[in-house]
């Protein structure tokens, strides 16, 4: 059974930082690409970043240079370090993995950027 559990969201002022974590179970973690997506109120879910099993990373243009995606295969966990946060980063952030051609999502963690 594939399970993804996100944590680390919260309320932060513009310009601040947060680090999100996603712990995965039920998969051979080191063999799979992992991703982050987000969904703001009234908007469609959008891609944020993906990290391959080999450590290659792609970011959405909107977060490039501000967010850093990393993985710790020993802990079956990925991290999203978010710096220089903006109000438009406010969203529910979801961790995701494709396993046996099926996408799996975590429950999401709320990030709110506001003064």
């Amino acid at each position: 059974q594939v399970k993804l559990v996100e944590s680390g969201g919260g309320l932060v002022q513009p310009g601040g930082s947060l680090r999100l974590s996603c712990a995965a179970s039920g998969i051979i973690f080191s063999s799979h690409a992992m991703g982050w997506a987000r969904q703001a109120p009234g908007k469609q879910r959008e891609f944020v970043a993906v990290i391959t099993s080999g450590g290659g990373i792609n970011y959405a243009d909107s977060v490039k240079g501000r967010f850093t995606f990393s993985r710790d295969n020993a802990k079956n966990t990925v991290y999203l370090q978010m710096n220089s946060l903006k109000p438009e980063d406010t969203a529910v952030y979801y961790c995701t993995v494709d396993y046996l051609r099926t996408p799996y999502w975590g429950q999401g963690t709320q990030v709110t950027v506001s003064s």
Side-chain angles (χ1 to χ4, degrees):
Q1 179 183 359
V2 179
K3 188 175 182 182
L4 303 172
V5 180
E6 303 99 332
S7 60
L11 172 64
V12 64
Q13 292 186 342
S17 298
L18 283 174
R19 189 176 82 152
L20 306 183
S21 300
C22 172
S25 59
I27 62 173
I28 302 174
F29 180 80
S30 60
S31 298
H32 290 81
M34 300 291 296
W36 286 98
R38 66 186 181 186
Q39 187 166 18
K43 295 187 176 182
Q44 290 188 334
R45 195 171 296 188
E46 64 175 5
F47 165 81
V48 173
V50 61
I51 186 167
T52 68
S53 58
I57 304 171
N58 282 317
Y59 297 97
D61 287 344
S62 59
V63 307
K64 204 171 292 184
R66 300 187 298 121
F67 290 11
T68 302
F69 197 176
S70 61
R71 66 189 300 157
D72 185 337
N73 289 338
K75 295 183 178 180
N76 285 8
T77 300
V78 294
Y79 304 96
L80 187 67
Q81 178 66 43
M82 306 186 297
N83 298 330
S84 302
L85 283 162
K86 306 175 181 179
E88 50 264 43
D89 294 318
T90 294
V92 178
Y93 283 71
Y94 298 91
C95 180
T96 183
V97 65
D98 282 345
Y99 179 67
L100 298 179
R101 301 180 182 177
T102 301
Y104 289 87
W105 301 86
Q107 84 287 352
T109 185
Q110 176 70 47
V111 171
T112 302
V113 185
S114 175
S115 55

